[in-house]
């Protein structure tokens, strides 16, 4: 599996609100992004699909599309229909990579058909099943059963490769001997996840970084600002390049055209060892680092 070195994250969630990313995806396609990270939980697969099928968009073979199945669809009898529904909404025949969105199955409460603006609350009730006390309802399906169903999707040709998202090492090991191709986790200089990245690397599990420019405050860190000035690059470019040079595939997202282009320019330079070490040091004493 050959992954592009950087991708575009299609999550519409921003500080508790949903935003429309269709225009941003169009801009990202035009700027040169070729990896797009989507999920049925995002509720915007149709919009992303429209943007990826624009006349100026590259052919499907030039794109690398990542999908994620939500936790309420982890039972084998629900997983395949969920995957096929996502493919239909996107307007494609197969995912290049398909992930379990997070560890742990939740109770199924109906298919996650994409909501319209008037029915988002209904979508959320299906996505986050709660009992009478407001507690999330879990499902007893085993990780092995779910993972075997993911392998079946691969055998059927609905997905090229399979992986996981937000899994710790012990949770990956629960899946059995057929290791995931990718683990998508939150990584930034404030949250370097060094041990998990190294653990995945030793097992040839590629790592993607969602939320690569988070948490809030990272890009205004005086140490990062000083380094960016010295390198004549933006703070975001420094952070994204740091991830790329560690073998991590970052998935930045933005609705600002300038920032979308700026982030992709992280491919245009390299960081010297001293600069890499300076970014590594940002985790030391950072508020909220973990």
């Amino acid at each position: 599996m050959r992954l592009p070195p950087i991708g575009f994250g299609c999550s519409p969630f921003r500080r508790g609100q949903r935003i429309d990313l269709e225009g941003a995806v169009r801009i990202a396609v035009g700027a040169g992004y070729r990896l797009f990270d989507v999920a049925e939980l995002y509720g915007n697969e149709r919009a992303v699909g429209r943007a990826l099928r624009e006349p100026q968009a590259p052919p499907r073979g030039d794109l690398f599309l990542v999908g994620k199945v939500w936790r309420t669809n982890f039972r084998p009898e629900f997983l395949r229909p969920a995957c096929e529904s996502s493919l239909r909404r996107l307007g494609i025949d197969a995912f290049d990579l398909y992930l379990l969105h997070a560890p742990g199955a939740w109770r199924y409460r109906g298919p996650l058909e994409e909501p319209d603006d008037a029915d988002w609350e209904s979508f959320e009730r299906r996505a986050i099943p709660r009992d009478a006390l407001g507690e999330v309802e879990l499902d007893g399906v085993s990780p092995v059963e779910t993972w075997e169903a993911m392998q079946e999707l691969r055998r059927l040709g609905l997905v090229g490769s399979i992986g996981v998202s937000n899994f710790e090492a012990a949770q990956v090991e629960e899946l059995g001997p057929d290791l995931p191709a990718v683990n998508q986790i939150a990584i930034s200089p404030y949250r370097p996840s060094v041990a998990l990245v190294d653990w995945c690397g030793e097992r040839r599990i590629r790592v993607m970084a969602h939320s690569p420019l988070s948490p809030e405050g990272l890009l205004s860190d005086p140490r990062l600002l000083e380094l960016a000035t010295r390198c004549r690059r933006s703070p975001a470019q420094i952070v994204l390049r740091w991830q790329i040079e560690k073998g991590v595939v970052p998935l930045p997202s933005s609705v600002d055209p300038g920032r979308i282009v700026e982030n992709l320019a992280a491919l245009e330079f390299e960081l010297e060892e001293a600069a890499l070490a300076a970014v590594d040091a940002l985790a030391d004493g950072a508020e909220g680092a973990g």
Side-chain angles (χ1 to χ4, degrees):
M1 180 184 64
R2 297 185 64 180
L3 286 173
I6 191 170
F8 189 81
C10 296
S11 171
F13 304 120
R14 300 289 191 280
R15 298 180 182 179
Q17 297 183 339
R18 292 183 74 243
I19 60 174
D20 181 3
L21 275 182
E22 184 171 347
V25 173
R26 286 194 179 96
I27 293 168
V29 170
Y33 289 85
R34 294 297 177 261
L35 187 160
F36 292 87
D37 178 66
V38 300
E40 63 175 341
L41 180 68
Y42 298 164
N44 61 2
E45 289 170 319
R46 287 194 184 92
V48 172
R50 285 193 298 269
L52 296 178
R53 293 193 303 273
E54 287 284 300
Q56 67 272 23
R60 172 67 181 91
D62 291 348
L63 298 172
F64 192 98
L65 301 185
V66 182
K68 293 193 283 290
V69 60
W70 184 235
R71 303 164 80 164
T72 55
N73 285 317
F74 278 12
R75 282 195 170 272
E77 62 264 36
F78 303 135
L79 198 150
R80 178 177 173 181
C83 178
E84 291 176 331
S85 293
S86 288
L87 292 172
R88 183 180 65 252
R89 288 190 289 266
L90 283 161
I92 60 176
D93 295 326
F95 283 109
D96 297 291
L97 173 67
Y98 198 52
L99 311 178
L100 300 178
H101 202 136
W106 291 356
R107 188 170 76 84
Y108 178 79
R109 297 191 72 174
L112 290 185
E113 290 300 331
E114 190 162 301
D116 55 30
D117 291 340
D119 199 30
W120 182 250
E121 289 185 4
S122 175
F123 180 86
E124 286 186 315
R125 285 195 297 271
R126 292 194 301 275
I128 309 177
R130 298 186 185 277
D131 61 21
L133 298 177
E135 298 294 326
V136 173
E137 295 181 289
L138 306 181
D139 191 307
V141 62
S142 73
V144 171
E145 288 180 84
T146 301
W147 193 239
E148 288 176 349
M150 290 284 280
Q151 294 173 58
E152 178 64 15
L153 295 182
R154 186 176 57 193
R155 285 191 288 270
L156 292 170
L158 294 173
V159 305
S161 298
I162 54 176
V164 297
S165 179
N166 300 303
F167 274 54
E168 297 294 337
Q171 293 164 330
V172 173
E173 290 180 327
E174 289 180 351
L175 301 177
D178 189 348
L179 294 175
V182 165
N183 189 7
Q184 185 183 122
I185 56 179
I187 301 175
S188 81
Y190 279 8
R191 298 167 176 162
S193 304
V194 173
L196 183 53
V197 171
D198 289 346
W199 186 90
C200 288
E202 291 167 1
R203 289 154 181 80
R204 297 185 178 181
I205 299 171
R206 295 294 305 275
V207 176
M208 287 181 172
H210 67 72
S211 311
L213 303 176
S214 297
E216 188 174 351
L218 169 63
L219 299 184
S220 60
D221 188 309
R223 297 167 296 172
L224 179 59
L225 292 174
E226 180 183 356
L227 177 61
T229 298
R230 290 206 311 266
C231 294
R232 298 182 179 180
R233 294 287 174 176
S234 73
Q237 288 172 340
I238 296 293
V239 170
L240 296 171
R241 187 68 212 182
W242 170 81
Q243 293 166 337
I244 291 167
E245 296 201 16
K246 288 184 175 293
V248 172
V249 178
L251 303 169
S253 182
S254 178
V255 294
D256 182 287
R259 289 180 181 174
I260 291 172
V261 173
E262 174 188 288
N263 290 340
L264 190 61
L267 299 177
E268 298 175 357
F269 68 100
E270 296 180 355
L271 291 173
E272 296 180 353
E273 287 190 19
L276 288 170
V279 181
D280 287 338
L282 292 177
D284 299 334
E287 291 188 12

